Amino acid sequence: MSDIEQIDEDGTEQVSLKQYAEKAYLDYSMYVILDRALPNIGDGLKPVQRRIVYAMSELGLKSTAKFKKSARTVGDVIGKFHPHGDSAAYEAMVLMAQYFSYRYPLVDGQGNWGAPDDPKSFAAMRYTESRLTAYADVLLAELGQGTVDWVPNFDGTMEEPSVLPAQVPNVLLNGTTGIAVGMATDIPPHNLREVVTAAIRLLEAPKSTLAELCEHIQAPDFPTEAEIITPREEILAIYQTGRGGLRMRAVWEKEGGDIVIQAIPHQVSGSRVLEQIAQQMQARKLPMVADLRDESDHENPTRLVIVPRSNRVDLDGLMSHLFATTDLERSYRVNLNMIGIDGRPQVKSLDRILKEWLKFRTATVRRRLQYRLEKVLKRLHILEGYLVAYLNIDEVIHIIRTEDKPKPALMKRFKISDIQAEAILELKLRNLARLEEMKITGEQNELEDERAQLEKILGSDARLKTLIKKELTAVAQEYGDDRRSPLVERDEAKAFSELELISADPITVVMSEKGWIRGAKGHDIDPASLSYKSGDGFKLAVRGRSNQPVVILDSTGRAYSIPSHNLPSARGQGEPVTGRINPPSGATFEGMMMGDEQQLYLLASDAGYGFVARLGDLQTKNRAGKAALSLPKGGQVLQPVPISEVEGASVVAITNEGRMLVFSLADLPQLARGKGNKIIGIPGARVLSREEFVVGVQVMAEKDVLVVHAGKRHINLKFSELEHYRGERGRRGNKLPRGFQKVDAMTVER
């Protein structure tokens, strides 16, 4: 169907606006895809890059030439080939010159061409000088050898190569990124030796699988020593589909207690990394780091030093956090999208890329050999004419001197072709007279040998493959180098939780009778001497670290956890604990616990029941807490007792009537919650009527002293003096001496 809707009286074509807009957008899209954003599989270059490299070669800016002002070079590129602005062309040139952007740079630059920290900090083109690198020869060496399709430039005044005759798969070697319309490309760089080895493998065994090719190309190879940490299976999947993602991680080592970062991921700025770490330090999210230094210089392009606060800091854990929260670990998108040899964009698998490129290379080499063969045959033909002229030199000179049109006369007389006659006539007479049979036949023999060799290669696929293989090997030997990015599989980086980032400072948590809570720095605090609100006073205190939660036990036996690092200061009077937890109505707070998750506590009720609990089992994120200690009828919660030693420790329980029982701690079970087992025998009815109940429970080691308080009097009992009171768990116990039977409290002195 024609786009033309109608033709008016003047013969002007009229197209609907919709059709016009669609066509214009489609044309633009295709232009961006095919002539701007995507690289060609043949030489791995975008059009602007190809034009720069070609224009520089035409200007004679080889690796051995003098440097030339970049502005002049760019001017030449724009004037002759590139229909865009000078800044676009210069930016493309800069990218090809940056050793930290291109694995194998194509442009050799003098002056400021940007830094790894800031790739866009390059000087203006009037200040920089440039020429091609030696590596550029792999794209240009075969340019004048019949290997290239020439196309008109943008204004049709000159011709430019459509694709450069690359001797290696440059599309994989230097990689590229580009955004087209509706598609993008992200091809990572690779190692030349690895890619060439894989290409040779595919040349020798065309049915090689992707897995076999990946024995040679194990992963991309970026221009940095940072580690590629993506698992091998994922890399294989990327090469299989042409899409995926890679992760790179900085390389570091311990040096005198400090962390020294020696390599950072591709296109990551060292100063940006330090800025990210500094931001965390300012926000108090990194208390274990004391200082940062950038010691990078010419000898060590990357040397970032992180100084930990002390030698107790877990450096591996710290780096894992930094990998998770900064650019020390970076992800890279992979999208192997390029213009194939059919001129169409496509996302290709690795084996497909290599197969297509080998087709391109085979066609290029065949064209080069064919072109050379034609040149040889043409020269042999001319030499035959020279030999005829030499053998009849006097007659030839006579014809040239006497005849008005010597060419037809020579052709008729000596039965030579137009080309031969033209070649004879192009020689000056004195040169014609100097012709020597030896030189002619010598050159003929050499050319005949070359012709035979060329025809052999062109007539045999095996010989052609061998030639391509030799050329690939030669390029790899000349320009190849060792892998820079090591392949190391690492565990996933984990950021510190909020709790892990809190410094472990000593803290004393104090609670008042009315349930107001606060945190005092240090352990040398007298909680009773702090100021309290009118009608309020000291009730509970517990010592621990600021990175440990405080566990509160209420009168119903429920346990609650609250973080201790953000408690109000002890300079004030604190805040109601009910602002942080939701206890049942009427409940009071009877106990507080702090310590490591493995810390053991004895939980007991004054009904004479209890158990050993691990502190970690009592912690909860629920504001309503969790049931910990079940109370028998009439029973009340006792202050939990910390257990410092389990081996050889004994439980001491005393009732208000002065009965005391001592038994081994091992007889009590360790539970997460419940009523527990009977510690000391008290009839249930007496507990219910509050006639008899447990005054206190303590855990004693052998070296401890038990202090029993009765009114104003107290008695000290050593571990060895408790034999009289020892018995089986759950017994009634024995009475204390007269005068000490109305027990108020008991403590353990360690």
Side-chain angles (χ1 to χ4, degrees):
M1 182 180 149
S2 175
D3 284 344
I4 302 165
E5 290 292 308
Q6 60 188 58
I7 299 173
D8 65 7
E9 299 148 357
D10 303 327
T12 311
E13 298 172 359
Q14 290 186 334
V15 180
S16 75
L17 187 61
K18 181 173 176 285
Q19 282 178 319
Y20 173 78
E22 279 179 2
K23 187 174 182 306
Y25 182 67
L26 194 65
D27 288 350
Y28 170 72
S29 303
M30 291 312 295
Y31 155 73
V32 170
I33 291 165
L34 299 176
D35 208 42
R36 202 153 106 191
L38 298 190
N40 192 291
I41 195 168
D43 56 11
L45 299 176
K46 298 176 186 180
V48 62
Q49 295 171 326
R50 188 178 301 117
R51 286 162 181 156
I52 290 165
V53 171
Y54 174 65
M56 288 178 81
S57 75
E58 287 294 286
L59 291 166
L61 295 175
K62 298 176 188 165
S63 57
T64 52
K66 280 186 180 177
F67 286 94
K68 185 177 173 180
K69 280 279 185 220
S70 301
R72 290 193 165 193
T73 307
V74 168
D76 205 75
V77 172
I78 288 170
K80 290 179 181 174
F81 304 106
H82 192 55
H84 289 288
D86 54 355
S87 60
Y90 185 50
E91 277 190 33
M93 184 193 276
V94 167
L95 191 70
M96 292 191 288
Q98 290 176 337
Y99 67 90
F100 48 85
S101 295
Y102 258 41
R103 184 70 178 78
Y104 302 96
L106 294 166
V107 175
D108 185 7
Q110 264 193 350
N112 178 9
W113 288 80
D117 268 7
D118 190 4
K120 297 209 169 175
S121 63
F122 50 86
M125 56 187 161
R126 60 183 176 274
Y127 301 120
T128 61
E129 296 179 327
S130 54
R131 65 184 180 190
L132 290 169
T133 59
Y135 175 77
D137 282 350
V138 302
L139 302 174
L140 298 163
E142 299 172 3
L143 204 54
Q145 300 178 25
T147 53
V148 170
D149 291 325
W150 296 89
V151 293
N153 69 341
F154 63 93
D155 60 0
T157 55
M158 303 175 73
E159 287 196 320
E160 60 178 334
S162 59
V163 181
L164 294 176
Q167 294 173 335
V168 283
N170 192 57
V171 70
L172 286 172
L173 297 180
N174 275 322
T176 191
T177 60
I179 302 167
V181 177
M183 63 175 71
T185 183
D186 291 278
I187 305 170
H190 289 77
N191 186 278
L192 191 143
R193 282 181 189 161
E194 292 178 7
V195 171
V196 165
T197 315
I200 290 170
R201 170 86 178 257
L202 196 59
L203 209 56
E204 290 171 343
K207 290 185 178 175
S208 297
T209 62
L210 181 73
E212 287 169 340
L213 295 176
C214 286
E215 289 171 15
H216 307 287
I217 305 175
Q218 295 190 356
D221 186 23
F222 294 88
T224 169
E225 282 74 28
E227 300 170 343
I228 295 171
I229 62 165
T230 306
R232 182 147 173 77
E233 302 77 52
E234 287 183 32
I235 294 173
L236 276 171
I238 290 169
Y239 285 143
Q240 183 75 54
T241 59
R243 287 192 177 93
L246 285 167
R247 289 197 319 281
M248 284 195 91
R249 185 178 284 186
V251 173
W252 67 281
E253 67 173 17
K254 298 171 190 174
E255 194 178 288
D258 297 345
I259 294 167
V260 177
I261 296 163
Q262 298 166 320
I264 51 179
H266 182 51
Q267 291 175 334
V268 167
S269 158
S271 57
R272 172 68 182 142
V273 167
L274 289 179
E275 192 185 317
Q276 287 173 330
I277 300 171
Q279 280 173 352
Q280 290 192 37
M281 288 169 72
Q282 284 167 354
R284 298 187 178 174
K285 295 280 178 74
L286 220 53
M288 59 287 289
V289 176
D291 192 20
L292 295 174
R293 291 196 306 273
D294 188 353
E295 295 181 358
S296 306
D297 52 29
H298 287 290
E299 285 183 21
N300 304 292
T302 302
R303 186 177 164 86
L304 309 178
V305 182
I306 300 170
V307 182
R309 197 164 289 282
S310 74
N311 56 6
R312 293 191 303 277
V313 172
D314 176 13
L315 299 187
D316 291 304
L318 171 58
M319 286 307 294
S320 180
H321 169 77
L322 293 176
F323 289 139
T325 57
T326 69
D327 283 344
L328 287 173
E329 184 176 318
R330 186 94 173 264
S331 293
Y332 299 88
R333 190 172 63 176
V334 177
N335 183 19
L336 304 180
N337 189 13
M338 61 197 74
I339 296 168
I341 52 178
D342 58 356
R344 294 180 177 181
Q346 191 186 10
V347 176
K348 301 179 190 290
S349 61
L350 181 67
D351 55 336
R352 179 80 184 272
I353 293 169
L354 287 172
K355 279 175 186 171
E356 278 201 36
W357 185 83
L358 283 171
K359 272 187 191 173
F360 164 81
R361 183 64 190 154
T362 306
T364 303
V365 171
R366 194 178 283 282
R367 284 174 71 173
R368 189 188 80 211
L369 296 174
Q370 199 66 50
Y371 179 80
R372 180 61 189 160
L373 181 62
E374 284 170 12
K375 277 212 155 186
V376 166
L377 290 170
K378 189 177 178 182
R379 183 64 182 164
L380 281 168
H381 187 59
I382 288 168
L383 287 173
E384 279 176 23
Y386 283 167
L387 200 59
V388 169
Y390 170 76
L391 295 171
N392 304 279
I393 191 70
D394 295 333
E395 199 176 342
V396 167
I397 291 170
H398 177 74
I399 290 170
I400 291 169
R401 282 178 172 167
T402 56
E403 292 285 339
D404 290 336
K405 293 183 178 178
K407 191 174 164 182
L410 285 169
M411 288 168 69
K412 189 176 177 184
R413 170 69 185 85
F414 300 112
K415 297 195 170 43
I416 57 177
S417 69
D418 187 294
I419 295 165
Q420 289 170 324
E422 191 71 46
I424 291 166
L425 291 169
E426 277 179 6
L427 281 177
K428 291 178 180 175
L429 283 176
R430 67 172 179 268
N431 291 340
L432 199 61
R434 284 183 193 161
L435 284 174
E436 292 178 27
E437 189 177 7
M438 287 282 287
K439 282 185 180 175
I440 295 168
T441 53
E443 193 180 345
Q444 272 183 322
N445 292 338
E446 280 178 22
L447 290 172
E448 280 292 347
D449 290 347
E450 190 179 349
R451 181 183 64 80
Q453 191 65 26
L454 288 167
E455 284 177 346
K456 265 186 192 175
I457 295 169
L458 285 165
S460 165
D461 285 345
R463 281 196 170 93
L464 191 64
K465 280 183 181 178
T466 306
L467 177 65
I468 294 168
K469 192 166 56 175
K470 276 183 185 171
E471 288 177 355
L472 281 167
T473 308
V475 172
Q477 282 174 349
E478 191 169 353
Y479 301 107
D481 58 358
D482 295 332
R483 168 172 278 281
R484 286 188 65 182
S485 304
L487 304 171
V488 187
E489 287 194 27
R490 301 278 189 195
D491 294 334
E492 192 178 346
K494 287 182 181 173
F496 287 137
S497 64
E498 190 183 350
L499 198 64
E500 288 172 307
L501 288 168
I502 300 160
S503 58
D505 301 321
I507 187 173
T508 303
V509 179
V510 182
M511 187 180 287
S512 74
E513 291 170 354
K514 297 280 178 71
W516 285 59
I517 196 166
R518 52 188 146 169
K521 286 184 179 176
H523 287 170
D524 52 349
I525 307 287
D526 181 12
S529 65
L530 296 174
S531 69
Y532 294 89
K533 286 183 176 290
S534 174
D536 200 359
F538 167 71
K539 185 172 185 181
L540 298 167
V542 67
R543 292 180 173 89
R545 301 257 166 202
S546 56
N547 62 344
Q548 297 167 342
V550 57
V551 177
I552 299 167
L553 198 65
D554 74 5
S555 56
T556 67
R558 295 186 75 78
Y560 309 84
S561 299
I562 56 171
S564 60
H565 69 278
N566 58 5
L567 287 173
S569 166
R571 290 191 185 95
Q573 288 164 340
E575 65 178 33
V577 73
T578 48
R580 297 177 177 236
I581 57 175
N582 298 332
S585 179
T588 56
F589 303 107
E590 302 300 328
M592 284 204 303
M593 295 166 276
M594 272 185 96
D596 298 329
E597 286 190 0
Q598 302 306 320
Q599 172 69 52
L600 297 177
Y601 272 87
L602 174 57
L603 267 58
S605 64
D606 67 2
Y609 288 84
F611 60 91
V612 175
R614 196 176 68 91
L615 192 55
D617 294 335
L618 301 175
Q619 292 172 3
T620 175
K621 289 180 180 177
N622 194 350
R623 281 177 65 97
K626 67 190 285 187
L629 182 65
S630 302
L631 298 173
K633 284 184 179 177
Q636 293 179 8
V637 173
L638 293 174
Q639 166 75 12
V641 180
I643 300 168
S644 50
E645 288 182 38
V646 177
E647 286 291 320
S650 295
V651 178
V652 181
I654 298 181
T655 69
N656 60 330
E657 292 188 348
R659 289 186 175 277
M660 184 162 84
L661 180 68
V662 181
F663 62 89
S664 173
L665 177 65
D667 294 345
L668 271 184
Q670 187 177 323
L671 304 172
R673 63 181 181 184
K675 184 171 80 170
N677 287 17
K678 190 180 279 189
I679 294 174
I680 188 166
I682 305 173
R686 288 177 69 82
V687 173
L688 195 60
S689 63
R690 303 299 294 169
E691 283 180 56
E692 191 179 355
F693 51 86
V694 177
V695 174
V697 176
Q698 288 291 348
V699 177
M700 267 184 86
E702 284 187 29
K703 57 183 182 292
D704 298 341
V705 176
L706 184 71
V707 183
V708 180
H709 297 268
K712 290 182 180 179
R713 299 175 69 190
H714 71 272
I715 184 172
N716 293 349
L717 296 168
K718 291 180 183 174
F719 194 81
S720 57
E721 296 170 344
L722 299 176
E723 280 304 315
H724 175 65
Y725 304 98
R726 283 198 173 273
E728 288 180 16
R729 179 184 58 74
R731 298 288 182 179
R732 286 284 283 157
N734 290 328
K735 283 219 170 190
L736 284 160
R738 283 182 179 275
F740 296 99
Q741 291 180 357
K742 287 190 176 180
V743 179
D744 295 320
M746 69 169 173
T747 55
V748 172
E749 288 183 357
R750 292 187 166 88

